[in-house]
């Protein structure tokens, strides 16, 4: 169960992780932080990429669906007492890749290039490298 706030913190805000360490969050607080994190992501992309209203709507839908899917899968693994951290990384990578592909369909060429420069290209390269490493094993 401790992996879910950690994963959320990695995607949303390092400050959330520090706060989680101090005291356990209620489900309502976790849900509130979840949506606040999505809102922060949307604001960041809206400002940096000059998104149209329809793009903001799609990004919101993509983030909510994908992050909820990832969160639910990680929670299920945690409740099943899965201890292998590599399996958690596989789940994160799979959902991050799904989000990456969905965003590519929403952004225009200029926005996509800016998005890649904001760190998405580096994250994609790291995911691909981890996937290649897993295939070799």
């Amino acid at each position: 169960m401790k992996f879910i706030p950690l994963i959320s913190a990695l995607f949303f805000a390092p400050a959330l992780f520090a706060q989680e360490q101090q005291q356990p969050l209620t489900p309502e607080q976790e849900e509130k932080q979840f949506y606040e994190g999505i809102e922060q992501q949307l604001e960041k992309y809206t400002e940096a990429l000059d998104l149209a209203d329809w793009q903001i709507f799609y990004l919101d839908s993509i983030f909510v669906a994908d992050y909820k899917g990832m969160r639910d899968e990680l929670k299920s693994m945690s409740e099943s007492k899965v201890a292998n951290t590599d399996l958690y990384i596989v789940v994160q990578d799979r959902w991050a890749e799904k989000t990456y592909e969905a965003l590519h369909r929403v952004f225009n060429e200029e926005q996509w290039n800016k998005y890649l420069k904001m760190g998405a290209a580096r994250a994609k390269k790291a995911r691909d490298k981890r996937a290649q490493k897993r295939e070799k094993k």
Side-chain angles (χ1 to χ4, degrees):
M1 188 72 163
K2 291 181 182 181
F3 287 100
I4 294 167
L6 174 63
I7 301 308
S8 296
L10 290 173
F11 277 103
F12 302 127
L16 296 179
F17 179 70
Q19 183 180 13
E20 202 282 326
Q21 291 295 321
Q22 294 171 359
Q23 58 184 329
L25 299 176
T26 66
E28 294 80 21
Q29 290 171 323
E30 280 185 23
E31 197 71 12
K32 182 180 177 190
Q33 286 187 350
F34 176 78
Y35 285 107
E36 286 174 355
I38 290 174
E39 188 63 34
Q40 289 173 356
Q41 285 288 95
L42 284 172
E43 288 174 14
K44 174 184 167 186
Y45 289 137
T46 299
E47 192 174 302
L49 303 174
D50 193 31
L51 299 177
D53 289 340
W54 68 269
Q55 290 174 309
I56 296 168
F57 173 79
Y58 276 109
L59 260 64
D60 183 54
S61 299
I62 290 165
F63 289 156
V64 169
D66 288 356
Y67 292 159
K68 270 188 179 183
M70 180 179 66
R71 182 182 66 175
D72 292 346
E73 192 170 346
L74 292 171
K75 183 177 182 179
S76 173
M77 290 172 63
S78 179
E79 289 171 352
S80 298
K81 308 274 191 239
V82 174
N84 185 344
T85 56
D86 290 340
L87 296 176
Y88 289 91
I89 293 170
V90 169
V91 170
Q92 290 173 38
D93 283 353
R94 186 174 61 246
W95 284 100
E97 187 65 26
K98 184 175 179 175
T99 302
Y100 177 88
E101 291 170 2
L103 294 180
H104 194 188
R105 291 189 294 268
V106 174
F107 294 152
N108 64 34
E109 195 64 34
E110 180 184 338
Q111 291 168 330
W112 180 250
N113 289 331
K114 279 185 182 179
Y115 171 71
L116 292 175
K117 289 178 184 175
M118 291 171 63
R122 189 172 36 250
K124 169 73 170 149
K125 186 176 178 180
R127 281 194 309 275
D128 290 346
K129 189 175 180 179
R130 284 190 298 270
Q132 232 177 11
K133 200 175 189 180
R134 283 191 297 269
E135 287 176 10
K136 287 182 181 179
K137 289 184 179 182

